[in-house]
Amino acid sequence: MNLLDPQGPVAAGNSTILVDSVFIMLVIVVPTIIAILGFAFWFRASNPKARYQPHFVYSGRVEMVVWSIPALTVILLGGVAWIGSHQLDPAAPVPGTGSPVRIQAVSLDWKWLFIYPDQRIATINTLTVPAGAELNFQLTSSSVMNTFFIPQLGSMIYTMNGMVTKLNLRADTEGKLQGLSAHFSGDGFPDMMFDVNVVSPLAFPEWVATTAKTDAVLNADTYKKLMQQGIEKGRPVYRLDDPRLFDLIASQHIPPGPGPELASEAGRSHSGGHDAR
């Protein structure tokens, strides 16, 4: 999950902004550290050349330096953030090769459900995508607010029950990456990780065909069982029975889950409710 080892154009843009911001801030940090050491050395008690000026109050040149350098730094950082936030808009298209892949992600307690509506399959805690293709994500939550993040692909984005957020990414290099939840959501939060398998464009249809042969079926009843709080140690796969399932979840036609419940009676009485949402 190395932020400085991007595997896609969005992550590369994020990495560039991070590195540029660090170097811009070093323009203040490094001279300040040098000045502290220099002042401490020059104005030491044993230095007879240092001028003692107990009545010194104001210097225009000192004020110019003190204010101009931070102001330029803020302007540069603001410019980098402004340009980058528009170029890396999560909903902006990320052109790729071949046909785009549509993926619907649902954050559960405490697992991730990935639905491929066009391929009529679904997976838990594993995401398989073809290298070079544009990835069109639609994201929502089954209960509490959560965060979808694949550090080496970029753009951490929130998932919320009752609404859909959009995210476009692209993975350029085949291999295995790691995704995670970046927003605390209860006891199982540390294990709310998922694998990202980037395969070749030719291997992706083969994976879809193999996955579609599973006997497990994902429908409203199966989803309600998945909503129950728990950590999924395996990587189950499903055939998608109803391609409208994601829309039913996002529109709350399937009621949301209870969210992480407080473990103790004392905690419940203190909060005045039955869950931690």
Side-chain angles (χ1 to χ4, degrees):
M1 293 191 287
N2 188 354
L3 290 170
L4 299 179
D5 182 24
Q7 301 298 313
V10 177
N14 289 336
S15 178
T16 300
I17 291 175
L18 177 62
V19 173
D20 289 349
S21 299
V22 169
F23 277 106
I24 291 172
M25 288 184 286
L26 286 177
V27 173
I28 285 183
V29 174
V30 173
T32 300
I33 294 175
I34 294 174
I36 291 172
L37 297 175
F39 272 70
F41 176 78
W42 180 256
F43 289 102
R44 67 191 188 278
S46 60
N47 184 12
K49 296 181 181 180
R51 290 185 296 167
Y52 179 59
Q53 296 177 290
H55 302 295
F56 175 83
V57 176
Y58 176 80
S59 170
R61 281 182 283 187
V62 171
E63 289 290 325
M64 176 67 70
V65 172
V66 167
W67 287 102
S68 61
I69 295 178
L72 289 173
T73 303
V74 170
I75 291 172
L76 287 172
L77 283 174
V80 168
W82 175 270
I83 295 171
S85 63
H86 285 80
Q87 291 179 340
L88 301 175
D89 181 1
V94 182
T97 58
S99 301
V101 178
R102 194 158 56 105
I103 303 169
Q104 298 167 333
V106 184
S107 58
L108 304 162
D109 298 327
W110 292 278
K111 58 189 82 75
W112 288 94
L113 169 63
F114 297 106
I115 300 172
Y116 297 77
D118 299 325
Q119 288 77 21
R120 301 292 291 266
I121 58 174
T123 61
I124 295 290
N125 288 345
T126 182
L127 178 64
T128 301
V129 298
E134 181 177 353
L135 308 177
N136 304 140
F137 286 93
Q138 294 175 290
L139 304 104
T140 192
S141 172
S142 69
S143 59
V144 299
M145 185 167 63
N146 223 302
T147 307
F148 176 87
F149 188 30
I150 307 174
Q152 289 180 277
L153 294 186
S155 288
M156 178 170 60
I157 193 165
Y158 278 94
T159 64
M160 305 180 205
N161 184 255
M163 67 174 290
V164 176
T165 50
K166 294 182 179 181
L167 173 65
N168 293 323
L169 298 175
R170 191 182 78 215
D172 290 335
T173 307
E174 295 178 32
K176 187 172 182 178
L177 309 178
Q178 190 73 48
L180 71 155
S181 166
H183 187 98
F184 181 74
S185 58
D187 293 340
F189 163 75
D191 295 301
M192 200 169 169
M193 316 277 282
F194 60 92
D195 299 324
V196 182
N197 300 309
V198 184
V199 300
S200 70
L202 295 177
F204 182 71
E206 296 177 3
W207 172 81
V208 170
T210 302
T211 304
K213 294 178 182 178
T214 181
D215 294 329
V217 177
L218 179 63
N219 51 33
D221 294 332
T222 311
Y223 173 75
K224 289 176 182 177
K225 294 179 180 178
L226 290 173
M227 285 176 59
Q228 298 175 8
Q229 294 174 4
I231 299 169
E232 182 62 57
K233 295 298 184 181
R235 297 291 187 267
V237 296
Y238 301 90
R239 285 185 290 110
L240 183 62
D241 185 44
D242 186 356
R244 301 174 304 156
L245 179 62
F246 181 83
D247 296 330
L248 296 176
I249 297 169
S251 61
Q252 297 183 329
H253 281 81
I254 298 178
E261 296 183 354
L262 296 175
S264 66
E265 291 295 332
R268 277 192 284 269
S269 62
H270 177 73
S271 67
H274 296 287
D275 58 63
R277 282 194 294 164

mmCIF file with all atom_site columns, all heavy atoms in Angstrom, residues 116-135:
data_model
loop_
_atom_site.group_PDB
_atom_site.id
_atom_site.type_symbol
_atom_site.label_atom_id
_atom_site.label_alt_id
_atom_site.label_comp_id
_atom_site.label_asym_id
_atom_site.label_entity_id
_atom_site.label_seq_id
_atom_site.pdbx_PDB_ins_code
_atom_site.Cartn_x
_atom_site.Cartn_y
_atom_site.Cartn_z
_atom_site.occupancy
_atom_site.B_iso_or_equiv
_atom_site.pdbx_formal_charge
_atom_site.auth_seq_id
_atom_site.auth_comp_id
_atom_site.auth_asym_id
_atom_site.auth_atom_id
_atom_site.pdbx_PDB_model_num
ATOM 1   N N   . TYR A 1 116 ? -20.552 -6.794  -10.133 1.00 0.00 ? 116 TYR A N   1
ATOM 2   C CA  . TYR A 1 116 ? -20.281 -6.529  -11.551 1.00 0.00 ? 116 TYR A CA  1
ATOM 3   C C   . TYR A 1 116 ? -21.610 -6.708  -12.291 1.00 0.00 ? 116 TYR A C   1
ATOM 4   O O   . TYR A 1 116 ? -21.935 -7.814  -12.744 1.00 0.00 ? 116 TYR A O   1
ATOM 5   C CB  . TYR A 1 116 ? -19.245 -7.516  -12.094 1.00 0.00 ? 116 TYR A CB  1
ATOM 6   C CG  . TYR A 1 116 ? -17.878 -7.434  -11.453 1.00 0.00 ? 116 TYR A CG  1
ATOM 7   C CD1 . TYR A 1 116 ? -17.646 -7.972  -10.187 1.00 0.00 ? 116 TYR A CD1 1
ATOM 8   C CD2 . TYR A 1 116 ? -16.800 -6.858  -12.131 1.00 0.00 ? 116 TYR A CD2 1
ATOM 9   C CE1 . TYR A 1 116 ? -16.386 -7.928  -9.602  1.00 0.00 ? 116 TYR A CE1 1
ATOM 10  C CE2 . TYR A 1 116 ? -15.526 -6.806  -11.559 1.00 0.00 ? 116 TYR A CE2 1
ATOM 11  C CZ  . TYR A 1 116 ? -15.339 -7.346  -10.290 1.00 0.00 ? 116 TYR A CZ  1
ATOM 12  O OH  . TYR A 1 116 ? -14.082 -7.306  -9.719  1.00 0.00 ? 116 TYR A OH  1
ATOM 13  N N   . PRO A 1 117 ? -22.400 -5.649  -12.439 1.00 0.00 ? 117 PRO A N   1
ATOM 14  C CA  . PRO A 1 117 ? -23.757 -5.811  -12.994 1.00 0.00 ? 117 PRO A CA  1
ATOM 15  C C   . PRO A 1 117 ? -23.770 -6.278  -14.450 1.00 0.00 ? 117 PRO A C   1
ATOM 16  O O   . PRO A 1 117 ? -24.682 -6.994  -14.866 1.00 0.00 ? 117 PRO A O   1
ATOM 17  C CB  . PRO A 1 117 ? -24.358 -4.403  -12.858 1.00 0.00 ? 117 PRO A CB  1
ATOM 18  C CG  . PRO A 1 117 ? -23.178 -3.495  -12.792 1.00 0.00 ? 117 PRO A CG  1
ATOM 19  C CD  . PRO A 1 117 ? -22.098 -4.248  -12.100 1.00 0.00 ? 117 PRO A CD  1
ATOM 20  N N   . ASP A 1 118 ? -22.771 -5.885  -15.244 1.00 0.00 ? 118 ASP A N   1
ATOM 21  C CA  . ASP A 1 118 ? -22.748 -6.284  -16.651 1.00 0.00 ? 118 ASP A CA  1
ATOM 22  C C   . ASP A 1 118 ? -22.321 -7.734  -16.821 1.00 0.00 ? 118 ASP A C   1
ATOM 23  O O   . ASP A 1 118 ? -22.734 -8.402  -17.779 1.00 0.00 ? 118 ASP A O   1
ATOM 24  C CB  . ASP A 1 118 ? -21.803 -5.369  -17.446 1.00 0.00 ? 118 ASP A CB  1
ATOM 25  C CG  . ASP A 1 118 ? -22.245 -3.916  -17.392 1.00 0.00 ? 118 ASP A CG  1
ATOM 26  O OD1 . ASP A 1 118 ? -23.468 -3.673  -17.379 1.00 0.00 ? 118 ASP A OD1 1
ATOM 27  O OD2 . ASP A 1 118 ? -21.373 -3.032  -17.351 1.00 0.00 ? 118 ASP A OD2 1
ATOM 28  N N   . GLN A 1 119 ? -21.511 -8.216  -15.879 1.00 0.00 ? 119 GLN A N   1
ATOM 29  C CA  . GLN A 1 119 ? -21.051 -9.609  -15.937 1.00 0.00 ? 119 GLN A CA  1
ATOM 30  C C   . GLN A 1 119 ? -21.932 -10.541 -15.110 1.00 0.00 ? 119 GLN A C   1
ATOM 31  O O   . GLN A 1 119 ? -21.721 -11.757 -15.131 1.00 0.00 ? 119 GLN A O   1
ATOM 32  C CB  . GLN A 1 119 ? -19.599 -9.702  -15.443 1.00 0.00 ? 119 GLN A CB  1
ATOM 33  C CG  . GLN A 1 119 ? -18.562 -9.121  -16.392 1.00 0.00 ? 119 GLN A CG  1
ATOM 34  C CD  . GLN A 1 119 ? -18.515 -7.597  -16.369 1.00 0.00 ? 119 GLN A CD  1
ATOM 35  O OE1 . GLN A 1 119 ? -18.953 -6.971  -15.394 1.00 0.00 ? 119 GLN A OE1 1
ATOM 36  N NE2 . GLN A 1 119 ? -18.002 -6.993  -17.423 1.00 0.00 ? 119 GLN A NE2 1
ATOM 37  N N   . ARG A 1 120 ? -22.855 -9.955  -14.326 1.00 0.00 ? 120 ARG A N   1
ATOM 38  C CA  . ARG A 1 120 ? -23.800 -10.713 -13.496 1.00 0.00 ? 120 ARG A CA  1
ATOM 39  C C   . ARG A 1 120 ? -23.080 -11.603 -12.476 1.00 0.00 ? 120 ARG A C   1
ATOM 40  O O   . ARG A 1 120 ? -23.451 -12.753 -12.254 1.00 0.00 ? 120 ARG A O   1
ATOM 41  C CB  . ARG A 1 120 ? -24.737 -11.559 -14.361 1.00 0.00 ? 120 ARG A CB  1
ATOM 42  C CG  . ARG A 1 120 ? -25.570 -10.779 -15.353 1.00 0.00 ? 120 ARG A CG  1
ATOM 43  C CD  . ARG A 1 120 ? -26.605 -9.906  -14.666 1.00 0.00 ? 120 ARG A CD  1
ATOM 44  N NE  . ARG A 1 120 ? -27.641 -10.688 -14.041 1.00 0.00 ? 120 ARG A NE  1
ATOM 45  C CZ  . ARG A 1 120 ? -28.798 -10.999 -14.622 1.00 0.00 ? 120 ARG A CZ  1
ATOM 46  N NH1 . ARG A 1 120 ? -29.048 -10.601 -15.861 1.00 0.00 ? 120 ARG A NH1 1
ATOM 47  N NH2 . ARG A 1 120 ? -29.712 -11.696 -13.968 1.00 0.00 ? 120 ARG A NH2 1
ATOM 48  N N   . ILE A 1 121 ? -22.045 -11.039 -11.836 1.00 0.00 ? 121 ILE A N   1
ATOM 49  C CA  . ILE A 1 121 ? -21.342 -11.737 -10.770 1.00 0.00 ? 121 ILE A CA  1
ATOM 50  C C   . ILE A 1 121 ? -21.083 -10.767 -9.620  1.00 0.00 ? 121 ILE A C   1
ATOM 51  O O   . ILE A 1 121 ? -21.265 -9.553  -9.766  1.00 0.00 ? 121 ILE A O   1
ATOM 52  C CB  . ILE A 1 121 ? -19.991 -12.336 -11.252 1.00 0.00 ? 121 ILE A CB  1
ATOM 53  C CG1 . ILE A 1 121 ? -19.091 -11.223 -11.803 1.00 0.00 ? 121 ILE A CG1 1
ATOM 54  C CG2 . ILE A 1 121 ? -20.209 -13.428 -12.279 1.00 0.00 ? 121 ILE A CG2 1
ATOM 55  C CD1 . ILE A 1 121 ? -17.696 -11.699 -12.174 1.00 0.00 ? 121 ILE A CD1 1
ATOM 56  N N   . ALA A 1 122 ? -20.657 -11.298 -8.472  1.00 0.00 ? 122 ALA A N   1
ATOM 57  C CA  . ALA A 1 122 ? -20.335 -10.468 -7.316  1.00 0.00 ? 122 ALA A CA  1
ATOM 58  C C   . ALA A 1 122 ? -19.276 -11.180 -6.481  1.00 0.00 ? 122 ALA A C   1
ATOM 59  O O   . ALA A 1 122 ? -19.167 -12.415 -6.507  1.00 0.00 ? 122 ALA A O   1
ATOM 60  C CB  . ALA A 1 122 ? -21.579 -10.195 -6.477  1.00 0.00 ? 122 ALA A CB  1
ATOM 61  N N   . THR A 1 123 ? -18.497 -10.412 -5.735  1.00 0.00 ? 123 THR A N   1
ATOM 62  C CA  . THR A 1 123 ? -17.434 -10.971 -4.904  1.00 0.00 ? 123 THR A CA  1
ATOM 63  C C   . THR A 1 123 ? -17.421 -10.279 -3.548  1.00 0.00 ? 123 THR A C   1
ATOM 64  O O   . THR A 1 123 ? -17.930 -9.155  -3.400  1.00 0.00 ? 123 THR A O   1
ATOM 65  C CB  . THR A 1 123 ? -16.053 -10.798 -5.566  1.00 0.00 ? 123 THR A CB  1
ATOM 66  O OG1 . THR A 1 123 ? -15.796 -9.389  -5.734  1.00 0.00 ? 123 THR A OG1 1
ATOM 67  C CG2 . THR A 1 123 ? -16.003 -11.473 -6.921  1.00 0.00 ? 123 THR A CG2 1
ATOM 68  N N   . ILE A 1 124 ? -16.828 -10.955 -2.587  1.00 0.00 ? 124 ILE A N   1
ATOM 69  C CA  . ILE A 1 124 ? -16.642 -10.384 -1.249  1.00 0.00 ? 124 ILE A CA  1
ATOM 70  C C   . ILE A 1 124 ? -15.147 -10.250 -0.981  1.00 0.00 ? 124 ILE A C   1
ATOM 71  O O   . ILE A 1 124 ? -14.387 -11.219 -1.110  1.00 0.00 ? 124 ILE A O   1
ATOM 72  C CB  . ILE A 1 124 ? -17.276 -11.280 -0.163  1.00 0.00 ? 124 ILE A CB  1
ATOM 73  C CG1 . ILE A 1 124 ? -18.792 -11.339 -0.326  1.00 0.00 ? 124 ILE A CG1 1
ATOM 74  C CG2 . ILE A 1 124 ? -16.926 -10.776 1.239   1.00 0.00 ? 124 ILE A CG2 1
ATOM 75  C CD1 . ILE A 1 124 ? -19.511 -10.040 0.005   1.00 0.00 ? 124 ILE A CD1 1
ATOM 76  N N   . ASN A 1 125 ? -14.728 -9.048  -0.629  1.00 0.00 ? 125 ASN A N   1
ATOM 77  C CA  . ASN A 1 125 ? -13.352 -8.747  -0.205  1.00 0.00 ? 125 ASN A CA  1
ATOM 78  C C   . ASN A 1 125 ? -12.302 -9.062  -1.269  1.00 0.00 ? 125 ASN A C   1
ATOM 79  O O   . ASN A 1 125 ? -11.125 -9.226  -0.940  1.00 0.00 ? 125 ASN A O   1
ATOM 80  C CB  . ASN A 1 125 ? -13.007 -9.490  1.089   1.00 0.00 ? 125 ASN A CB  1
ATOM 81  C CG  . ASN A 1 125 ? -13.713 -8.898  2.294   1.00 0.00 ? 125 ASN A CG  1
ATOM 82  O OD1 . ASN A 1 125 ? -14.238 -7.792  2.228   1.00 0.00 ? 125 ASN A OD1 1
ATOM 83  N ND2 . ASN A 1 125 ? -13.746 -9.635  3.382   1.00 0.00 ? 125 ASN A ND2 1
ATOM 84  N N   . THR A 1 126 ? -12.697 -9.152  -2.509  1.00 0.00 ? 126 THR A N   1
ATOM 85  C CA  . THR A 1 126 ? -11.719 -9.293  -3.586  1.00 0.00 ? 126 THR A CA  1
ATOM 86  C C   . THR A 1 126 ? -12.243 -8.576  -4.828  1.00 0.00 ? 126 THR A C   1
ATOM 87  O O   . THR A 1 126 ? -13.425 -8.691  -5.169  1.00 0.00 ? 126 THR A O   1
ATOM 88  C CB  . THR A 1 126 ? -11.432 -10.777 -3.895  1.00 0.00 ? 126 THR A CB  1
ATOM 89  O OG1 . THR A 1 126 ? -10.444 -10.857 -4.920  1.00 0.00 ? 126 THR A OG1 1
ATOM 90  C CG2 . THR A 1 126 ? -12.671 -11.520 -4.355  1.00 0.00 ? 126 THR A CG2 1
ATOM 91  N N   . LEU A 1 127 ? -11.359 -7.836  -5.452  1.00 0.00 ? 127 LEU A N   1
ATOM 92  C CA  . LEU A 1 127 ? -11.719 -7.037  -6.616  1.00 0.00 ? 127 LEU A CA  1
ATOM 93  C C   . LEU A 1 127 ? -10.764 -7.413  -7.746  1.00 0.00 ? 127 LEU A C   1
ATOM 94  O O   . LEU A 1 127 ? -9.556  -7.282  -7.614  1.00 0.00 ? 127 LEU A O   1
ATOM 95  C CB  . LEU A 1 127 ? -11.598 -5.543  -6.276  1.00 0.00 ? 127 LEU A CB  1
ATOM 96  C CG  . LEU A 1 127 ? -11.880 -4.519  -7.371  1.00 0.00 ? 127 LEU A CG  1
ATOM 97  C CD1 . LEU A 1 127 ? -13.327 -4.600  -7.814  1.00 0.00 ? 127 LEU A CD1 1
ATOM 98  C CD2 . LEU A 1 127 ? -11.572 -3.112  -6.863  1.00 0.00 ? 127 LEU A CD2 1
ATOM 99  N N   . THR A 1 128 ? -11.319 -7.900  -8.839  1.00 0.00 ? 128 THR A N   1
ATOM 100 C CA  . THR A 1 128 ? -10.506 -8.294  -9.992  1.00 0.00 ? 128 THR A CA  1
ATOM 101 C C   . THR A 1 128 ? -10.837 -7.378  -11.160 1.00 0.00 ? 128 THR A C   1
ATOM 102 O O   . THR A 1 128 ? -12.014 -7.221  -11.519 1.00 0.00 ? 128 THR A O   1
ATOM 103 C CB  . THR A 1 128 ? -10.776 -9.762  -10.374 1.00 0.00 ? 128 THR A CB  1
ATOM 104 O OG1 . THR A 1 128 ? -10.461 -10.601 -9.249  1.00 0.00 ? 128 THR A OG1 1
ATOM 105 C CG2 . THR A 1 128 ? -9.927  -10.172 -11.561 1.00 0.00 ? 128 THR A CG2 1
ATOM 106 N N   . VAL A 1 129 ? -9.801  -6.756  -11.742 1.00 0.00 ? 129 VAL A N   1
ATOM 107 C CA  . VAL A 1 129 ? -10.001 -5.788  -12.817 1.00 0.00 ? 129 VAL A CA  1
ATOM 108 C C   . VAL A 1 129 ? -8.963  -6.026  -13.913 1.00 0.00 ? 129 VAL A C   1
ATOM 109 O O   . VAL A 1 129 ? -7.863  -6.517  -13.647 1.00 0.00 ? 129 VAL A O   1
ATOM 110 C CB  . VAL A 1 129 ? -9.889  -4.337  -12.299 1.00 0.00 ? 129 VAL A CB  1
ATOM 111 C CG1 . VAL A 1 129 ? -10.966 -4.049  -11.271 1.00 0.00 ? 129 VAL A CG1 1
ATOM 112 C CG2 . VAL A 1 129 ? -8.507  -4.071  -11.706 1.00 0.00 ? 129 VAL A CG2 1
ATOM 113 N N   . PRO A 1 130 ? -9.286  -5.672  -15.162 1.00 0.00 ? 130 PRO A N   1
ATOM 114 C CA  . PRO A 1 130 ? -8.309  -5.804  -16.249 1.00 0.00 ? 130 PRO A CA  1
ATOM 115 C C   . PRO A 1 130 ? -7.371  -4.593  -16.300 1.00 0.00 ? 130 PRO A C   1
ATOM 116 O O   . PRO A 1 130 ? -7.796  -3.452  -16.096 1.00 0.00 ? 130 PRO A O   1
ATOM 117 C CB  . PRO A 1 130 ? -9.193  -5.868  -17.494 1.00 0.00 ? 130 PRO A CB  1
ATOM 118 C CG  . PRO A 1 130 ? -10.432 -5.112  -17.120 1.00 0.00 ? 130 PRO A CG  1
ATOM 119 C CD  . PRO A 1 130 ? -10.625 -5.312  -15.647 1.00 0.00 ? 130 PRO A CD  1
ATOM 120 N N   . ALA A 1 131 ? -6.114  -4.860  -16.570 1.00 0.00 ? 131 ALA A N   1
ATOM 121 C CA  . ALA A 1 131 ? -5.130  -3.778  -16.679 1.00 0.00 ? 131 ALA A CA  1
ATOM 122 C C   . ALA A 1 131 ? -5.450  -2.906  -17.893 1.00 0.00 ? 131 ALA A C   1
ATOM 123 O O   . ALA A 1 131 ? -5.796  -3.400  -18.958 1.00 0.00 ? 131 ALA A O   1
ATOM 124 C CB  . ALA A 1 131 ? -3.726  -4.362  -16.800 1.00 0.00 ? 131 ALA A CB  1
ATOM 125 N N   . GLY A 1 132 ? -5.339  -1.592  -17.687 1.00 0.00 ? 132 GLY A N   1
ATOM 126 C CA  . GLY A 1 132 ? -5.527  -0.645  -18.780 1.00 0.00 ? 132 GLY A CA  1
ATOM 127 C C   . GLY A 1 132 ? -6.945  -0.198  -19.030 1.00 0.00 ? 132 GLY A C   1
ATOM 128 O O   . GLY A 1 132 ? -7.171  0.786   -19.747 1.00 0.00 ? 132 GLY A O   1
ATOM 129 N N   . ALA A 1 133 ? -7.937  -0.877  -18.456 1.00 0.00 ? 133 ALA A N   1
ATOM 130 C CA  . ALA A 1 133 ? -9.338  -0.519  -18.704 1.00 0.00 ? 133 ALA A CA  1
ATOM 131 C C   . ALA A 1 133 ? -9.797  0.566   -17.738 1.00 0.00 ? 133 ALA A C   1
ATOM 132 O O   . ALA A 1 133 ? -9.330  0.638   -16.592 1.00 0.00 ? 133 ALA A O   1
ATOM 133 C CB  . ALA A 1 133 ? -10.226 -1.746  -18.564 1.00 0.00 ? 133 ALA A CB  1
ATOM 134 N N   . GLU A 1 134 ? -10.720 1.406   -18.196 1.00 0.00 ? 134 GLU A N   1
ATOM 135 C CA  . GLU A 1 134 ? -11.319 2.406   -17.304 1.00 0.00 ? 134 GLU A CA  1
ATOM 136 C C   . GLU A 1 134 ? -12.262 1.697   -16.339 1.00 0.00 ? 134 GLU A C   1
ATOM 137 O O   . GLU A 1 134 ? -13.108 0.900   -16.746 1.00 0.00 ? 134 GLU A O   1
ATOM 138 C CB  . GLU A 1 134 ? -12.083 3.454   -18.107 1.00 0.00 ? 134 GLU A CB  1
ATOM 139 C CG  . GLU A 1 134 ? -12.708 4.534   -17.237 1.00 0.00 ? 134 GLU A CG  1
ATOM 140 C CD  . GLU A 1 134 ? -13.411 5.609   -18.037 1.00 0.00 ? 134 GLU A CD  1
ATOM 141 O OE1 . GLU A 1 134 ? -13.295 5.589   -19.285 1.00 0.00 ? 134 GLU A OE1 1
ATOM 142 O OE2 . GLU A 1 134 ? -14.068 6.462   -17.427 1.00 0.00 ? 134 GLU A OE2 1
ATOM 143 N N   . LEU A 1 135 ? -12.113 2.000   -15.047 1.00 0.00 ? 135 LEU A N   1
ATOM 144 C CA  . LEU A 1 135 ? -12.921 1.381   -14.002 1.00 0.00 ? 135 LEU A CA  1
ATOM 145 C C   . LEU A 1 135 ? -13.927 2.397   -13.496 1.00 0.00 ? 135 LEU A C   1
ATOM 146 O O   . LEU A 1 135 ? -13.544 3.428   -12.909 1.00 0.00 ? 135 LEU A O   1
ATOM 147 C CB  . LEU A 1 135 ? -12.032 0.890   -12.860 1.00 0.00 ? 135 LEU A CB  1
ATOM 148 C CG  . LEU A 1 135 ? -10.847 -0.005  -13.267 1.00 0.00 ? 135 LEU A CG  1
ATOM 149 C CD1 . LEU A 1 135 ? -10.005 -0.348  -12.044 1.00 0.00 ? 135 LEU A CD1 1
ATOM 150 C CD2 . LEU A 1 135 ? -11.337 -1.264  -13.970 1.00 0.00 ? 135 LEU A CD2 1
#
